[in-house]
Coordinates of all heavy atoms in Angstrom, one line a residue:
Chain A
Y193 N -18.8 3.9 -27.8 CA -20.1 3.4 -27.4 C -20.3 2.0 -27.7 O -21.0 1.2 -26.9 CB -21.2 4.3 -27.8 CG -21.4 5.4 -26.8 CD1 -20.8 6.6 -26.8 CD2 -22.3 5.2 -25.7 CE1 -21.0 7.6 -25.9 CE2 -22.5 6.1 -24.8 CZ -21.8 7.3 -24.8 OH -21.9 8.3 -23.9
D194 N -19.8 1.5 -28.8 CA -19.9 0.0 -29.2 C -19.3 -0.8 -28.1 O -19.9 -1.8 -27.6 CB -19.2 -0.2 -30.5 CG -20.1 -0.1 -31.7 OD1 -21.4 0.1 -31.5 OD2 -19.7 -0.2 -32.8
I195 N -18.1 -0.3 -27.6 CA -17.4 -1.1 -26.7 C -18.1 -1.0 -25.3 O -18.1 -2.1 -24.6 CB -16.0 -0.6 -26.6 CG1 -15.2 -0.9 -27.9 CG2 -15.3 -1.2 -25.4 CD1 -13.9 -0.1 -28.0
I196 N -18.6 0.1 -25.0 CA -19.4 0.2 -23.7 C -20.5 -0.8 -23.8 O -20.8 -1.5 -22.7 CB -19.9 1.7 -23.5 CG1 -18.6 2.6 -23.3 CG2 -20.8 1.8 -22.3 CD1 -19.0 4.1 -23.2
K197 N -21.3 -0.8 -24.9 CA -22.4 -1.7 -25.0 C -22.0 -3.2 -24.9 O -22.6 -3.9 -24.2 CB -23.0 -1.5 -26.4 CG -24.5 -1.4 -26.4 CD -24.8 -1.1 -27.9 CE -26.3 -0.7 -28.0 NZ -26.6 -0.1 -29.4
R198 N -20.9 -3.4 -25.5 CA -20.4 -4.9 -25.5 C -19.9 -5.3 -24.1 O -20.3 -6.4 -23.6 CB -19.2 -5.0 -26.4 CG -19.6 -5.8 -27.7 CD -18.5 -5.8 -28.7 NE -17.2 -6.2 -28.1 CZ -15.9 -5.7 -28.6 NH1 -15.9 -4.8 -29.5 NH2 -15.0 -6.2 -28.0
F199 N -19.2 -4.3 -23.4 CA -18.8 -4.6 -22.1 C -20.0 -4.8 -21.1 O -20.0 -5.7 -20.3 CB -18.0 -3.3 -21.6 CG -17.5 -3.5 -20.2 CD1 -16.4 -4.4 -20.0 CD2 -18.0 -2.8 -19.1 CE1 -15.9 -4.6 -18.7 CE2 -17.4 -2.9 -17.9 CZ -16.4 -3.8 -17.6
N200 N -21.1 -4.1 -21.3 CA -22.3 -4.3 -20.5 C -22.9 -5.6 -20.7 O -23.3 -6.3 -19.8 CB -23.2 -3.2 -20.8 CG -24.6 -3.4 -20.3 OD1 -25.5 -3.8 -21.0 ND2 -24.8 -3.3 -19.0
M201 N -22.8 -6.0 -22.0 CA -23.5 -7.3 -22.3 C -22.7 -8.5 -21.9 O -23.2 -9.5 -21.3 CB -23.8 -7.3 -23.8 CG -25.0 -6.5 -24.2 SD -25.8 -6.9 -25.7 CE -24.7 -6.2 -26.9
D202 N -21.4 -8.4 -22.1 CA -20.5 -9.5 -21.7 C -20.4 -9.7 -20.2 O -20.5 -10.8 -19.7 CB -19.0 -9.2 -22.2 CG -19.0 -9.2 -23.7 OD1 -20.0 -9.4 -24.3 OD2 -18.0 -8.8 -24.3
R203 N -20.2 -8.6 -19.5 CA -19.9 -8.7 -18.1 C -21.1 -8.4 -17.1 O -20.9 -8.5 -16.0 CB -18.7 -7.7 -17.7 CG -17.5 -7.9 -18.6 CD -16.5 -8.8 -18.1 NE -15.9 -8.3 -16.8 CZ -14.8 -8.7 -16.3 NH1 -14.1 -9.7 -16.9 NH2 -14.4 -8.2 -15.2
K204 N -22.2 -8.0 -17.7 CA -23.3 -7.6 -17.0 C -23.0 -6.5 -15.9 O -23.5 -6.6 -14.8 CB -23.9 -8.9 -16.2 CG -24.3 -10.0 -17.2 CD -25.8 -9.6 -17.8 CE -26.2 -10.5 -18.9 NZ -25.7 -10.0 -20.2
T205 N -22.2 -5.6 -16.2 CA -21.8 -4.5 -15.4 C -22.8 -3.4 -15.6 O -23.1 -3.0 -16.8 CB -20.5 -4.0 -15.7 OG1 -19.5 -5.0 -15.6 CG2 -20.0 -2.8 -14.8
A206 N -23.4 -2.9 -14.5 CA -24.4 -1.8 -14.6 C -23.5 -0.6 -15.1 O -22.4 -0.4 -14.6 CB -25.1 -1.6 -13.4
I207 N -24.2 0.3 -15.8 CA -23.4 1.5 -16.3 C -24.3 2.7 -16.1 O -25.4 2.7 -16.5 CB -23.0 1.4 -17.8 CG1 -21.9 0.3 -17.9 CG2 -22.3 2.7 -18.2 CD1 -21.5 0.0 -19.3
L208 N -23.8 3.7 -15.5 CA -24.5 5.0 -15.4 C -23.7 6.0 -16.2 O -22.6 6.3 -15.9 CB -24.5 5.4 -13.9 CG -25.3 6.7 -13.5 CD1 -26.8 6.7 -14.2 CD2 -25.3 6.9 -12.1
L209 N -24.4 6.5 -17.2 CA -23.7 7.4 -18.2 C -24.2 8.9 -18.0 O -25.4 9.1 -17.8 CB -24.2 7.1 -19.6 CG -23.6 6.0 -20.4 CD1 -24.5 5.9 -21.7 CD2 -22.3 6.4 -20.7
V210 N -23.3 9.8 -18.0 CA -23.7 11.2 -18.1 C -23.2 11.6 -19.6 O -22.2 11.3 -20.1 CB -22.9 12.1 -17.1 CG1 -22.9 13.5 -17.5 CG2 -23.6 11.9 -15.8
E211 N -24.2 12.2 -20.3 CA -23.9 12.6 -21.6 C -24.6 13.8 -22.1 O -25.8 13.9 -21.8 CB -24.3 11.2 -22.5 CG -23.8 11.1 -23.8 CD -22.3 11.5 -24.0 OE1 -21.5 10.6 -23.9 OE2 -21.9 12.6 -24.2
Q212 N -24.0 14.5 -23.0 CA -24.7 15.6 -23.7 C -25.2 15.1 -25.0 O -26.1 15.7 -25.5 CB -23.6 16.7 -23.9 CG -23.0 17.3 -22.7 CD -23.8 18.5 -22.2 OE1 -24.8 18.8 -22.7 NE2 -23.2 19.1 -21.1
N213 N -24.4 14.1 -25.6 CA -24.8 13.6 -26.8 C -26.0 12.6 -26.7 O -25.8 11.4 -26.5 CB -23.6 12.9 -27.5 CG -23.8 12.5 -28.8 OD1 -24.9 12.3 -29.3 ND2 -22.7 12.3 -29.6
V214 N -27.2 13.2 -26.6 CA -28.4 12.5 -26.3 C -28.7 11.3 -27.2 O -29.0 10.2 -26.8 CB -29.6 13.4 -26.2 CG1 -30.9 12.7 -26.0 CG2 -29.4 14.5 -25.2
R215 N -28.4 11.5 -28.5 CA -28.7 10.5 -29.5 C -28.0 9.3 -29.2 O -28.5 8.1 -29.0 CB -28.4 11.0 -30.9 CG -29.0 10.2 -32.0 CD -28.5 10.7 -33.3 NE -28.3 12.2 -33.4 CZ -29.3 13.0 -33.9 NH1 -30.4 12.5 -34.4 NH2 -29.1 14.3 -33.8
V216 N -26.7 9.4 -29.1 CA -25.8 8.3 -28.8 C -26.2 7.6 -27.5 O -26.2 6.4 -27.4 CB -24.3 8.8 -28.8 CG1 -23.4 7.6 -28.5 CG2 -23.9 9.2 -30.1
A217 N -26.3 8.4 -26.4 CA -26.6 7.9 -25.1 C -27.9 7.0 -25.1 O -28.0 6.0 -24.6 CB -26.7 9.0 -24.2
L218 N -28.9 7.6 -25.8 CA -30.2 6.8 -25.8 C -30.2 5.6 -26.6 O -31.0 4.7 -26.4 CB -31.4 7.8 -26.1 CG -31.8 8.8 -25.1 CD1 -33.0 9.6 -25.5 CD2 -32.1 8.1 -23.8
N219 N -29.3 5.6 -27.5 CA -29.1 4.3 -28.4 C -28.5 3.3 -27.6 O -28.6 2.1 -27.9 CB -28.3 4.6 -29.7 CG -29.2 5.3 -30.7 OD1 -30.4 5.2 -30.7 ND2 -28.6 6.0 -31.6
T220 N -27.7 3.7 -26.6 CA -26.9 2.6 -25.8 C -27.7 2.3 -24.5 O -27.7 1.1 -24.2 CB -25.6 3.2 -25.4 OG1 -25.0 3.7 -26.5 CG2 -24.7 2.2 -24.8
A221 N -28.4 3.3 -24.0 CA -28.9 3.1 -22.6 C -30.3 2.3 -22.7 O -30.9 2.3 -23.8 CB -29.1 4.5 -21.9
H222 N -30.6 1.7 -21.6 CA -31.9 1.1 -21.5 C -33.0 2.1 -20.9 O -34.1 1.9 -21.2 CB -31.9 -0.2 -20.6 CG -30.9 -1.2 -21.0 ND1 -29.8 -1.4 -20.4 CD2 -30.8 -1.9 -22.2 CE1 -29.0 -2.4 -21.0 NE2 -29.7 -2.7 -22.1
Y223 N -32.4 2.9 -20.0 CA -33.3 3.8 -19.3 C -32.7 5.2 -19.2 O -31.4 5.2 -19.3 CB -33.5 3.2 -17.9 CG -34.8 3.7 -17.2 CD1 -36.0 3.1 -17.4 CD2 -34.7 4.8 -16.3 CE1 -37.2 3.6 -16.8 CE2 -35.8 5.3 -15.6 CZ -37.1 4.7 -15.9 OH -38.2 5.1 -15.3
G224 N -33.4 6.2 -19.1 CA -32.8 7.5 -19.0 C -33.5 8.5 -18.0 O -34.7 8.3 -17.7
Y225 N -32.7 9.3 -17.5 CA -33.3 10.4 -16.7 C -32.9 11.7 -17.3 O -31.7 11.9 -17.7 CB -32.8 10.4 -15.3 CG -33.1 9.2 -14.4 CD1 -32.5 8.0 -14.5 CD2 -34.3 9.2 -13.6 CE1 -32.9 6.9 -13.8 CE2 -34.7 8.2 -12.8 CZ -33.9 7.0 -13.0 OH -34.4 5.9 -12.2
V226 N -33.8 12.6 -17.3 CA -33.4 14.0 -17.8 C -33.4 15.0 -16.6 O -34.4 15.0 -15.8 CB -34.5 14.6 -18.9 CG1 -34.1 15.9 -19.3 CG2 -34.6 13.6 -20.0
M227 N -32.3 15.7 -16.5 CA -32.2 16.6 -15.3 C -32.1 18.1 -15.8 O -31.7 18.4 -16.8 CB -30.9 16.3 -14.5 CG -30.9 15.0 -13.9 SD -29.3 14.7 -13.0 CE -29.3 16.0 -11.8
E228 N -32.7 18.9 -14.9 CA -32.6 20.3 -15.2 C -32.6 21.0 -13.8 O -33.4 20.7 -12.9 CB -33.9 20.7 -15.9 CG -33.5 21.8 -17.0 CD -34.6 21.8 -18.1 OE1 -35.6 22.5 -17.8 OE2 -34.4 21.2 -19.1
N229 N -31.7 21.9 -13.7 CA -31.5 22.7 -12.4 C -31.5 21.9 -11.2 O -32.2 22.3 -10.3 CB -32.6 23.8 -12.5 CG -32.5 24.8 -13.5 OD1 -31.3 25.1 -13.9 ND2 -33.6 25.2 -14.0
G230 N -30.9 20.8 -11.2 CA -30.8 20.0 -10.0 C -32.0 19.2 -9.6 O -32.1 18.7 -8.5
R231 N -32.9 19.0 -10.6 CA -34.0 18.1 -10.4 C -34.2 17.1 -11.6 O -33.7 17.5 -12.7 CB -35.3 19.0 -10.4 CG -35.4 19.8 -9.1 CD -36.8 20.5 -9.1 NE -36.9 21.2 -7.9 CZ -36.4 22.5 -7.7 NH1 -35.8 23.0 -8.8 NH2 -36.5 23.1 -6.6
V232 N -34.7 16.0 -11.3 CA -35.1 15.1 -12.4 C -36.4 15.5 -12.9 O -37.4 15.6 -12.2 CB -35.2 13.6 -11.9 CG1 -35.7 12.8 -13.0 CG2 -33.8 13.2 -11.5
V233 N -36.5 15.9 -14.2 CA -37.8 16.4 -14.7 C -38.5 15.3 -15.6 O -39.7 15.5 -15.8 CB -37.6 17.6 -15.5 CG1 -37.2 18.8 -14.7 CG2 -36.5 17.4 -16.6
L234 N -37.8 14.3 -15.9 CA -38.5 13.3 -16.8 C -37.6 12.0 -16.8 O -36.3 12.1 -16.7 CB -38.3 13.9 -18.3 CG -39.0 13.1 -19.4 CD1 -40.6 13.1 -19.1 CD2 -38.7 13.6 -20.7
D235 N -38.3 10.9 -16.7 CA -37.5 9.7 -16.8 C -38.4 8.7 -17.5 O -39.6 8.7 -17.6 CB -37.1 9.2 -15.5 CG -38.2 8.6 -14.6 OD1 -39.0 9.6 -14.2 OD2 -38.3 7.5 -14.2
G236 N -37.7 7.6 -18.0 CA -38.4 6.6 -18.8 C -37.4 5.7 -19.6 O -36.3 6.0 -19.5
S237 N -38.0 4.7 -20.2 CA -37.1 3.9 -21.0 C -36.5 4.7 -22.1 O -37.2 5.7 -22.5 CB -38.0 2.7 -21.5 OG -38.8 3.1 -22.5
A238 N -35.5 4.2 -22.7 CA -34.8 4.9 -23.7 C -35.8 5.1 -24.9 O -35.8 6.2 -25.5 CB -33.5 4.2 -24.2
D239 N -36.5 4.1 -25.3 CA -37.4 4.3 -26.4 C -38.5 5.3 -26.1 O -38.8 6.2 -27.0 CB -38.0 3.0 -26.7 CG -37.0 2.0 -27.3 OD1 -36.1 2.5 -27.9 OD2 -37.1 0.8 -27.0
Y240 N -38.9 5.4 -24.9 CA -40.0 6.3 -24.6 C -39.4 7.8 -24.6 O -40.1 8.6 -25.2 CB -40.5 6.1 -23.1 CG -41.3 7.2 -22.5 CD1 -42.6 7.4 -22.9 CD2 -40.7 8.0 -21.6 CE1 -43.4 8.5 -22.3 CE2 -41.5 9.0 -21.0 CZ -42.8 9.3 -21.4 OH -43.5 10.3 -20.9
L241 N -38.2 7.9 -24.1 CA -37.6 9.3 -24.2 C -37.3 9.7 -25.6 O -37.5 10.8 -26.0 CB -36.2 9.3 -23.4 CG -36.4 9.2 -21.9 CD1 -35.0 9.1 -21.2 CD2 -37.2 10.3 -21.3
K242 N -36.9 8.7 -26.4 CA -36.6 9.1 -27.8 C -37.8 9.6 -28.6 O -37.8 10.3 -29.5 CB -36.0 7.9 -28.6 CG -34.5 7.8 -28.4 CD -33.9 6.7 -29.4 CE -33.9 5.4 -28.7 NZ -33.2 4.3 -29.5
G243 N -38.9 9.0 -28.1 CA -40.2 9.4 -28.7 C -40.8 10.7 -28.2 O -41.7 11.2 -28.8
R244 N -40.3 11.2 -27.1 CA -40.9 12.4 -26.5 C -40.6 13.7 -27.3 O -39.4 13.8 -27.7 CB -40.3 12.6 -25.1 CG -41.0 11.8 -24.0 CD -42.3 12.4 -23.6 NE -42.3 13.7 -23.0 CZ -43.0 14.1 -21.9 NH1 -43.6 13.2 -21.3 NH2 -42.9 15.4 -21.5
E245 N -41.5 14.4 -27.6 CA -41.4 15.6 -28.4 C -40.4 16.6 -27.7 O -39.5 17.2 -28.4 CB -42.8 16.4 -28.6 CG -43.8 15.5 -29.4 CD -43.2 15.2 -30.7 OE1 -42.5 16.1 -31.3 OE2 -43.5 14.1 -31.2
D246 N -40.5 16.7 -26.4 CA -39.6 17.6 -25.7 C -38.2 17.2 -25.8 O -37.3 18.1 -26.1 CB -40.0 17.7 -24.2 CG -41.4 18.2 -24.0 OD1 -41.7 19.3 -24.5 OD2 -42.2 17.4 -23.4
V247 N -37.9 16.0 -25.6 CA -36.5 15.5 -25.7 C -36.0 15.8 -27.1 O -34.9 16.2 -27.3 CB -36.4 14.1 -25.3 CG1 -35.1 13.5 -25.5 CG2 -36.8 13.8 -23.9
K248 N -36.8 15.4 -28.1 CA -36.5 15.6 -29.5 C -36.1 17.0 -29.7 O -35.1 17.4 -30.3 CB -37.6 15.2 -30.4 CG -37.7 13.7 -30.7 CD -38.6 13.5 -31.9 CE -39.2 12.2 -31.9 NZ -40.4 12.1 -32.8
E249 N -37.0 17.9 -29.3 CA -36.9 19.3 -29.6 C -35.6 19.9 -29.0 O -34.9 20.6 -29.5 CB -38.2 20.0 -29.3 CG -38.0 21.5 -29.2 CD -38.6 22.2 -30.4 OE1 -39.6 21.5 -31.0 OE2 -38.2 23.3 -30.8
F250 N -35.6 19.6 -27.6 CA -34.6 20.4 -26.9 C -33.2 19.7 -26.9 O -32.2 20.4 -26.6 CB -35.1 20.6 -25.5 CG -36.2 21.6 -25.4 CD1 -37.5 21.1 -25.0 CD2 -36.1 22.9 -25.8 CE1 -38.6 21.9 -25.1 CE2 -37.2 23.7 -25.8 CZ -38.4 23.3 -25.4
Y251 N -33.2 18.4 -27.0 CA -31.8 17.7 -26.9 C -31.4 17.1 -28.2 O -30.2 16.8 -28.3 CB -31.9 16.7 -25.8 CG -32.1 17.4 -24.5 CD1 -33.2 17.2 -23.7 CD2 -31.1 18.1 -23.9 CE1 -33.5 17.8 -22.5 CE2 -31.2 18.7 -22.7 CZ -32.4 18.6 -22.0 OH -32.6 19.2 -20.7
M252 N -32.2 16.9 -29.1 CA -31.8 16.1 -30.3 C -31.9 17.1 -31.5 O -31.5 16.7 -32.6 CB -32.6 14.9 -30.5 CG -32.3 13.9 -29.4 SD -33.5 12.6 -29.4 CE -32.6 11.2 -30.1
G253 N -32.6 18.2 -31.4 CA -32.7 19.2 -32.5 C -33.6 18.7 -33.6 O -33.4 19.0 -34.7
I254 N -34.6 17.9 -33.2 CA -35.5 17.3 -34.2 C -36.8 18.0 -33.9 O -37.3 18.0 -32.8 CB -35.6 15.9 -34.3 CG1 -34.2 15.2 -34.4 CG2 -36.6 15.5 -35.3 CD1 -34.2 13.8 -34.3
S255 N -37.5 18.6 -35.0 CA -38.8 19.3 -34.7 C -39.9 18.3 -34.8 O -39.7 17.1 -35.1 CB -39.0 20.5 -35.7 OG -39.1 19.8 -37.0
A256 N -41.1 18.8 -34.5 CA -42.2 17.9 -34.4 C -42.5 17.0 -35.6 O -42.9 15.9 -35.5 CB -43.5 18.6 -34.0
S257 N -42.1 17.5 -36.8 CA -42.4 16.8 -38.0 C -41.4 15.7 -38.2 O -41.5 15.0 -39.2 CB -42.4 17.8 -39.2 OG -41.1 18.3 -39.3

Side-chain angles (χ1 to χ4, degrees):
Chain A
Y193 268 92
D194 267 356
I195 292 165
I196 293 173
K197 224 175 190 167
R198 257 173 49 212
F199 181 71
N200 165 257
M201 287 201 280
D202 298 349
R203 308 265 296 197
K204 298 280 167 270
T205 305
I207 294 174
L208 182 56
L209 273 176
V210 158
E211 194 49 88
Q212 301 268 4
N213 190 336
V214 172
R215 196 189 318 266
V216 178
L218 286 182
N219 282 338
T220 308
H222 305 110
Y223 201 85
Y225 292 85
V226 178
M227 288 180 68
E228 216 160 83
N229 295 326
R231 290 188 179 81
V232 172
V233 288
L234 186 69
D235 69 294
S237 71
D239 291 329
Y240 167 75
L241 289 179
K242 271 190 276 188
R244 279 283 298 225
E245 294 302 323
D246 299 301
V247 175
K248 275 194 205 164
E249 165 103 26
F250 293 111
Y251 294 111
M252 296 163 106
I254 301 172
S255 66
S257 60

